[in-house]
Amino acid sequence: CCWLSGHEHKDKIVTINGITYVNSLLTSSTEVQYIPQNDGTYTHFSREFGTEYELCFDIISIDRTNRKVYFDRVGRVGNVIGRTREVSF
């Protein structure tokens, strides 16, 4: 089971009581955004209209055979272009 949501100011994946919650950045904003790091901290950055930082959304693919959900990022986030996340179910 997986709960997908967006329109937030940070990416986050957390599992609570066996349910995986996946949150994605909002698509376009000039406000400060937060990128989670492996050590549990966040990197902060601002996005600007008319630049490669403007757009941000995920294309979601479901691999039922291998029980995985892939989130392929469109747009640039921080210094990462095309960031991919995955969760198992």
Side-chain angles (χ1 to χ4, degrees):
C1 184
C2 182
W3 178 280
L4 306 176
S5 63
H7 196 79
E8 294 290 335
H9 295 270
K10 62 185 172 185
D11 285 327
K12 187 174 184 178
I13 298 175
V14 64
T15 301
I16 302 171
N17 296 326
I19 299 173
T20 301
Y21 296 84
V22 180
N23 187 73
S24 292
L25 285 170
L26 62 161
T27 190
S28 183
S29 174
T30 57
E31 297 180 32
V32 173
Q33 308 296 305
Y34 306 93
I35 302 298
Q37 305 301 305
N38 292 333
D39 64 1
T41 63
Y42 288 89
T43 297
H44 304 79
F45 72 97
S46 295
R47 291 164 53 195
E48 295 182 41
F49 290 115
T51 71
E52 69 269 25
Y53 292 97
E54 180 178 357
L55 289 179
C56 176
F57 61 91
D58 295 321
I59 296 174
I60 300 169
S61 305
I62 301 171
D63 180 346
R64 293 186 296 176
T65 302
N66 294 306
R67 301 181 54 82
K68 292 188 180 281
V69 179
Y70 298 96
F71 302 84
D72 295 310
R73 179 60 47 88
V74 175
R76 184 170 178 163
V77 178
N79 62 356
V80 179
I81 299 174
R83 179 173 178 224
T84 300
R85 299 177 293 158
E86 70 178 68
V87 295
S88 298
F89 64 93

